[in-house]
Amino acid sequence: MKKGNLFVYSGPSGVGKGTILDKIMEEDSNVYRSVSATTRSPRPGEINGVHYYFMTEEEFYDSVGKNEFLEYVKTYNTSYGTLKKDVEDKLSEGKDVFLEIDVKGALNLKSAGVKAVYIFVAPVDISILRERLIGRGTETLEKIEERLSISSWELSKAKEYDYLLINDELDKACDELKTIIKASRLLIRNFDLSKYKW
Ligand code: ADP
Ligand code: 5GP
């Protein structure tokens, strides 16, 4: 079976990454969001194995020792990591796998030469992030400020990515992401050229 594409998908907290990807996944069953491991506690409604694998520090660093992560970072005093097995299994099934990960993790993958389509989601105006995070209502004001404090640094790294999605109008951003996914399916590295009579 043809392998799926790997997408590395980042942007500042509150920009709308999750909202855009949720909408895409409603329409395209071939798109899969990788389930990361984290040491943070679940928010109301978050389910172990669905939103994250919630781990203790000990369990997390045990997995680090066993080389089970494709990448991991410690941020906001919490560790997050992408599990190799989850990603590899889904890619082999032909799924388009999205890693919704922070900028540090994404740049680590890029420096390690991991072949992926790197997508950055940005707002038109940085001030919208605070409004969206307050509107989402999932973090305390202290946690929101903590997240906002790194937004400018994150935005300064957008140019390291392949594609930029400006999330102003949600439907437009979703259409643009669909276009990127479609185009990625035509990347020459995904073709078995020996099949053609050239
Ligand atoms: P992220 O996953 O990047 O942290 P979310 O997807 O959780 O961000 O979005 C943060 C908040 O902004 C949510 O309440 C969401 O409904 C809202 N939001 C997302 N995209 C838009 C948009 N284009 N316009 C207005 N609000 C948006
Ligand atoms: P949250 O706590 O809001 O779910 O996520 C906080 C940040 O951690 C977000 O920027 C999210 O993309 C990032 N994140 C989630 N999982 C991973 C992961 O596996 N690796 C890395 N590097 N970042 C992650």
Side-chain angles (χ1 to χ4, degrees):
M1 183 190 283
K2 196 168 156 183
K3 272 187 83 174
N5 282 308
L6 183 63
F7 295 85
V8 175
Y9 182 67
S10 337
S13 191
V15 73
K17 301 178 294 293
T19 307
I20 298 170
L21 192 53
D22 284 346
K23 286 192 82 131
I24 297 294
M25 289 171 66
E26 274 169 25
E27 289 177 28
D28 188 342
S29 59
N30 201 54
V31 174
Y32 172 78
R33 178 196 271 122
S34 162
V35 181
S36 293
T38 182
T39 59
R40 81 156 165 72
S41 2
R43 294 186 190 127
E46 281 184 336
I47 300 162
N48 189 37
V50 175
H51 298 95
Y52 280 106
Y53 292 102
F54 294 100
M55 292 184 175
T56 60
E57 284 272 327
E58 202 185 348
E59 286 166 338
F60 191 96
Y61 285 94
D62 185 47
S63 291
V64 171
K66 291 183 184 148
N67 198 22
E68 288 174 353
F69 288 117
L70 186 59
E71 62 76 39
Y72 71 95
V73 294
K74 190 162 192 167
T75 181
Y76 315 118
N77 267 330
T78 305
S79 300
Y80 294 90
T82 307
L83 290 158
K84 276 185 195 166
K85 188 172 176 352
D86 186 48
V87 173
E88 283 163 9
D89 288 354
K90 298 294 174 192
L91 287 175
S92 309
E93 287 170 25
K95 299 272 183 201
D96 285 324
V97 177
F98 271 72
L99 310 184
E100 197 177 318
I101 64 175
D102 81 333
V103 172
K104 276 191 197 154
L107 296 183
N108 286 343
L109 289 177
K110 203 182 159 194
S111 330
V114 172
K115 274 209 180 79
V117 178
Y118 291 80
I119 305 173
F120 194 91
V121 189
V124 174
D125 182 329
I126 194 166
S127 65
I128 204 80
L129 298 174
R130 178 176 277 104
E131 283 170 38
R132 287 192 186 162
L133 283 173
I134 292 172
R136 188 171 74 184
T138 49
E139 275 84 25
T140 60
L141 278 180
E142 191 194 340
K143 291 272 173 212
I144 289 177
E145 292 308 328
E146 198 174 71
R147 285 169 180 231
L148 290 173
S149 67
I150 58 162
S151 308
S152 322
W153 176 80
E154 291 174 310
L155 288 159
S156 76
K157 298 294 175 193
K159 53 184 180 295
E160 305 291 333
Y161 288 67
D162 298 317
Y163 290 103
L164 178 64
L165 271 188
I166 298 290
N167 183 23
D168 185 15
E169 242 182 81
L170 184 59
D171 286 344
K172 184 162 177 272
C174 290
D175 280 346
E176 288 174 353
L177 184 53
K178 276 186 223 162
T179 304
I180 296 170
I181 294 170
K182 266 194 183 169
S184 305
R185 290 179 183 153
L186 301 176
L187 280 167
I188 206 136
R189 65 174 181 247
N190 291 326
F191 285 82
D192 172 8
L193 297 181
S194 65
K195 277 194 345 200
Y196 302 99
K197 292 175 187 155
W198 294 354

